């Protein structure tokens, strides 16, 4: 575990060595800021519903961009070999990179705390849903990170990793809005698979174990899949 | 120190390494020699725990790779082929990261990076991104990376490939210097390099070890004969043939070149016999002028070609 934290620290610092971090953060803030405030005054409600409503879609684009380099870059320049012949295990590496990506997403969310602060100055904001919304955002970021990590481990091409990761994340986000195509028998299952349903529950302030289990199992599937992919490379 | 027993690796149906058995003693420099695609890199990758062998066992000291891979990684420094390191990181930051992972204490890290900076002469690039370094510097940073925690065993995969002659000499110098205390295994396809640096050479061909002995013995047993090259002036081929081919120990004589006045001869000799004094005596009795007279022992190069001939 100590090795995982050391790798996490290195990966987190590495984000800020390349321009990607700054570009991703800037785009994220721009997009969320624009969509949030463009309708905020029309709705005339002191809540962050709008911000959290959009988050799964925005994250579906942003998080794969954060995770795409984690394995793909290592595989393409071969540094993966130098890393794995240091005294670390596959699990250390996966955990380290996963934590780094989570930490980066958390860092990306910090500036958005300006939104609730602004809103609370304009009206009476209920801080409960805001707190659980941010918790949900972290879970969502973690789940998407695990998926992004998996797609990044599959290929040495970062663009492929990004596009495939994004496709999966968008699919999971929007699956509940495409249900008019599917037979009734699948309806319950597919609704359960939809990220949006679970995330909006949390963002409303409802902390249901089903939603937590959903996000944690997404993380588990992604990370376990990653470890299988890495194992196959040995 | 290192014991490799009938190590085998299949990539799907392709057999990259075929029942290799190797024994490396402490303090030995072993050269793993072979043409491209012979299985050198695969062998080293299994030794360092990066690839899992299909079958066979690897022991480093008292550890086995199956059960104590972490312990082995702890005492083993590895430089992969062409030193793949993080491009974005500064050299110093990278070495600090490696020290961190290897559990070198904070106080020791600073001193150790300083030492390696001197040993590998990378002090002047310490604060440059690795991606911007020239190949030679990158290789030396890789070497520093491998030696960071002063490992007992050093595994280097083609440490001199792609370097210019000066850099090659420098890297060899470093290898020899650290080889006084450490056990080193390095792979190369350059024969003169193995000849110049190693105590022992194992030649790999198509995944099999085709020769494994000290460099001197290898030349002797597999070469089996030596050559003498003579250049004469004022001599004609027929007379030289008559005079020199009859000397005891000379098994064959060939005229390599005959230009106006100059005659170049190649004499094949049995290794046990040394016909040089007798040859010189005979030449002295004639009116020929001796321009060049030297013995050319069978080089490793010829041995290597002999062993790795495609058949």
């Amino acid at each position: 575990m100590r090795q995982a934290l050391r790798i996490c620290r290195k990966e987190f610092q590495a984000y800020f060595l390349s321009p990607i971090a700054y570009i991703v953060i800037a785009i994220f803030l721009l997009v969320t800021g624009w969509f949030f405030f463009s309708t905020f005054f029309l709705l005339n409600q002191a809540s962050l519903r709008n911000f959290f409503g959009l988050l799964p879609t925005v994250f579906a684009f942003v998080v794969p961009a954060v995770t795409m380099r984690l394995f793909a870059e290592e595989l393409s320049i071969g540094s993966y070999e130098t890393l794995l012949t240091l005294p670390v295990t596959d699990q250390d590496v996966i955990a380290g990179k996963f934590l780094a990506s989570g930490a980066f997403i958390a860092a990306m969310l910090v500036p958005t705390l300006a939104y609730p602060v602004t809103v609370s100055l304009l009206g009476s904001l209920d801080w409960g849903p805001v707190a659980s919304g941010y918790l949900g955002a972290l879970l969502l970021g973690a789940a998407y990170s695990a998926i992004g990590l998996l797609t990044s481990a599959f290929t040495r091409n970062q663009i492929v990793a990004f596009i495939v990761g994004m496709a999966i994340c968008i699919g999971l986000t929007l699956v509940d809005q495409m249900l008019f195509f599917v037979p009734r028998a699948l309806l319950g299952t597919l609704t359960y698979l939809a990220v949006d349903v679970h995330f909006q529950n949390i963002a409303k302030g409802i902390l249901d174990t089903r939603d937590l289990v959903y996000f944690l199992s997404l993380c588990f599937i992604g990370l376990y899949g990653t470890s299988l992919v890495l194992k196959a490379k040995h | 120190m290192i014991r490799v027993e009938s190590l085998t690796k299949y990539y799907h149906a392709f057999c990259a390494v075929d029942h290799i058995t190797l024994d490396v003693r402490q303090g030995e420099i072993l050269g793993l020699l072979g043409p491209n695609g012979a299985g050198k890199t695969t062998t080293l990758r299994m030794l360092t725990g990066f690839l899992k062998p299909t079958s066979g066992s690897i022991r480093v000291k008292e550890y086995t790779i199956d059960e104590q891979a972490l312990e082995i990684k702890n005492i083993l420094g590895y430089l992969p082929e062409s030193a793949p390191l993080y491009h974005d990181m500064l050299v110093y930051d990278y070495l600090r990261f490696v020290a961190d992972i290897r559990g070198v204490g904070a106080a020791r890290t600073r001193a150790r990076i300083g030492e390696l900076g001197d040993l590998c002469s990378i002090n002047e690039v310490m604060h440059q991104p690795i991606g911007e370094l020239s190949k030679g510097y990158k290789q030396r940073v890789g070497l520093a990376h491998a030696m960071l925690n002063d490992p007992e065993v050093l595994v280097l995969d083609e440490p001199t490939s792609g370097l210019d002659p000066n850099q090659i000499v420098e890297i060899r110098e470093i290898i020899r210097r650290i080889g006084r205390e450490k056990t080193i295994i390095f792979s190369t396809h350059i024969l003169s390099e193995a000849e110049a640096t190693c105590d022992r050479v194992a030649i790999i061909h198509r995944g099999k070890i085709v020769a494994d002995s000290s460099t001197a013995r290898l030349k002797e047993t597999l070469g089996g004969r030596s050559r003498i090259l003579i250049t004469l002036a004022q001599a004609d081929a027929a007379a030289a043939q008559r005079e020199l081919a009859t000397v005891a120990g000379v098994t064959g004589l060939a005229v390599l070149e005959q230009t106006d006045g100059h005659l170049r001869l190649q004499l094949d000799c049995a290794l046990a016999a040394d016909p040089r004094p007798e040859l010189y005596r005979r030449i002295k009795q004639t009116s020929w002028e001796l321009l060049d007279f030297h013995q050319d022992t069978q080089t490793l190069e010829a041995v290597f070609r002999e062993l790795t001939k495609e058949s």
Side-chain angles (χ1 to χ4, degrees):
Chain A
M1 199 58 209
R2 273 171 60 202
Q3 298 294 59
L5 289 177
R6 286 166 174 157
I7 292 173
C8 169
R9 191 169 66 200
K10 183 239 139 205
E11 290 294 343
F12 187 70
Q13 287 167 350
Y15 273 123
F16 295 94
L17 288 178
S18 71
I20 280 196
Y22 304 100
I23 295 170
V24 165
I25 291 181
I27 290 178
F28 172 73
L29 292 177
L30 211 68
V31 170
T32 53
W34 164 258
F35 279 107
F36 176 52
F37 280 108
S38 62
T39 54
F40 175 69
F41 293 103
L42 297 174
L43 289 174
N44 207 18
Q45 278 178 344
S47 82
L48 288 184
R49 283 280 275 285
N50 221 357
F51 167 65
F52 288 124
L54 246 143
L55 209 55
T57 318
V58 179
F59 265 14
F61 288 95
V62 169
V63 174
V66 172
T67 55
M68 66 181 183
R69 54 167 278 279
L70 287 173
F71 280 107
E73 189 184 37
E74 299 246 13
L75 293 172
S76 87
I77 62 176
S79 56
Y80 181 63
E81 192 176 348
T82 33
L83 178 63
L84 271 188
T85 47
L86 292 174
V88 296
T89 61
D90 282 7
Q91 282 69 35
D92 291 332
V93 174
I94 295 170
K97 286 176 183 281
F98 176 65
L99 289 174
S101 152
F104 181 81
I105 290 165
M108 192 168 74
L109 282 168
V110 168
T112 67
L113 290 173
Y115 304 160
V117 171
T118 316
V119 172
S120 72
L121 294 176
L122 296 169
S124 66
L125 176 70
D126 183 357
W127 282 93
V130 175
S132 72
Y134 273 100
L135 174 71
L138 288 179
L139 285 170
L140 179 72
Y144 282 179
S145 291
I147 292 168
L149 219 53
L150 175 62
T151 59
S152 182
F154 262 114
T155 169
R156 54 181 60 205
N157 185 330
Q158 293 192 39
I159 296 168
V160 172
F162 171 66
I163 291 175
V164 175
M166 188 181 67
I168 295 174
C169 291
I170 288 180
L172 282 174
T173 310
L174 298 181
V175 71
D176 63 320
Q177 288 166 35
M178 302 177 193
L179 292 179
F180 45 86
F181 288 122
V182 300
R184 182 164 290 228
L186 289 173
L187 219 59
T189 326
L190 286 180
T191 314
Y192 184 79
L193 282 182
V195 166
D196 215 23
V197 176
H198 298 283
F199 178 72
Q200 296 314 334
N201 279 343
I202 299 179
K204 274 181 223 151
I206 309 163
L207 286 179
D208 190 333
T209 37
R210 269 178 305 181
D211 303 323
L212 298 180
V213 166
Y214 170 79
F215 283 112
L216 295 179
S217 31
L218 267 189
C219 292
F220 176 77
I221 292 169
L223 297 180
Y224 185 68
T226 310
S227 83
L228 290 183
V229 173
L230 293 189
K231 209 167 164 188
K233 289 190 193 295
H234 287 309
Chain B
M1 188 74 183
I2 302 173
R3 236 194 119 65
V4 173
E5 235 162 311
S6 71
L7 189 67
T8 307
K9 176 76 185 176
Y10 276 91
Y11 292 117
H12 303 290
F14 176 71
C15 185
V17 172
D18 190 3
H19 292 90
I20 279 187
T21 298
L22 263 180
D23 227 331
V24 189
R25 282 187 306 276
Q26 182 146 15
E28 198 171 33
I29 305 184
L30 173 75
L32 217 50
L33 203 60
N36 291 328
K40 302 182 298 267
T41 298
T42 307
T43 308
L44 296 186
R45 280 182 171 170
M46 287 191 279
L47 203 61
T48 52
F50 181 65
L51 284 180
K52 293 243 176 331
T54 310
S55 68
S57 71
I58 297 172
R59 271 179 164 281
V60 180
K61 285 177 92 178
E62 68 268 29
Y63 309 119
T64 60
I65 200 99
D66 300 320
E67 281 146 34
Q68 293 134 312
L70 277 184
E71 282 85 350
I72 291 183
K73 287 177 183 178
N74 263 325
I75 55 165
L76 188 144
Y78 176 43
L79 167 65
E81 198 174 348
S82 72
L85 307 172
Y86 299 108
H87 292 179
D88 293 337
M89 286 181 100
L90 305 183
V91 173
Y92 187 83
D93 288 349
Y94 178 68
L95 293 178
R96 229 184 36 195
F97 163 66
V98 175
D100 194 23
I101 290 277
R102 287 214 176 262
V104 180
R108 180 83 190 101
T109 299
R110 185 177 276 273
R112 184 67 188 148
I113 293 179
E115 283 167 35
L116 288 171
D118 294 334
L119 181 67
C120 305
S121 354
I122 49 171
N123 280 325
E124 59 269 39
V125 296
M126 227 22 133
H127 299 286
Q128 281 181 31
I130 295 173
E132 288 175 12
L133 299 183
S134 70
K135 191 130 201 261
Y137 271 122
K138 217 173 123 195
Q139 204 75 24
R140 279 184 269 175
V141 172
L143 212 53
H145 140 99
M147 295 194 291
L148 212 116
N149 63 332
D150 208 11
E152 294 174 52
V153 182
L154 211 51
V155 177
L156 311 171
D157 195 357
E158 307 214 350
T160 59
S161 76
L163 303 185
D164 71 39
N166 289 333
Q167 294 168 329
I168 289 180
V169 170
E170 272 172 48
I171 295 265
R172 274 188 208 157
E173 193 51 48
I174 295 173
I175 292 175
R176 257 202 304 265
R177 211 178 312 156
I178 50 186
R180 283 179 213 141
E181 298 139 43
K182 313 274 174 222
T183 309
I184 300 181
I185 300 183
F186 80 92
S187 78
T188 175
H189 58 261
I190 305 163
L191 304 140
S192 54
E193 181 161 289
E195 217 169 346
T197 330
C198 303
D199 305 319
R200 220 179 91 208
V201 171
I203 298 182
I204 296 191
H205 181 50
R206 295 190 170 177
K208 286 194 174 73
I209 295 215
V210 288
D212 176 8
S213 65
S214 73
T215 26
R217 261 251 303 290
L218 203 61
K219 279 193 279 185
E220 229 170 79
T221 54
L222 291 152
R225 61 202 131 83
S226 66
R227 277 185 186 142
I228 293 174
L229 294 167
I230 299 175
T231 306
L232 299 167
Q234 318 284 346
D236 68 292
Q241 184 97 33
R242 242 189 349 265
E243 211 49 60
L244 301 180
T246 51
V247 174
V250 175
T251 56
L253 185 148
V255 177
L256 292 181
E257 201 183 346
Q258 190 169 20
T259 52
D260 39 26
H262 282 204
L263 182 66
R264 276 186 60 215
L265 300 170
Q266 177 191 306
L267 283 70
D268 289 328
C269 312
L271 199 74
D274 188 1
R276 282 176 297 177
E278 180 58 25
L279 285 171
Y280 179 62
R281 231 168 284 137
R282 298 236 180 145
I283 293 169
K284 212 162 63 173
Q285 284 163 9
T286 65
S287 60
W288 306 334
E289 287 164 2
L290 184 59
L291 300 181
D292 181 32
F293 184 36
H294 72 271
Q295 188 171 31
D296 184 18
T297 43
Q298 190 85 326
T299 55
L300 214 48
E301 192 119 10
V303 175
F304 178 76
R305 267 204 303 273
E306 185 71 26
L307 287 170
T308 60
K309 246 190 327 221
E310 296 295 322
S311 50

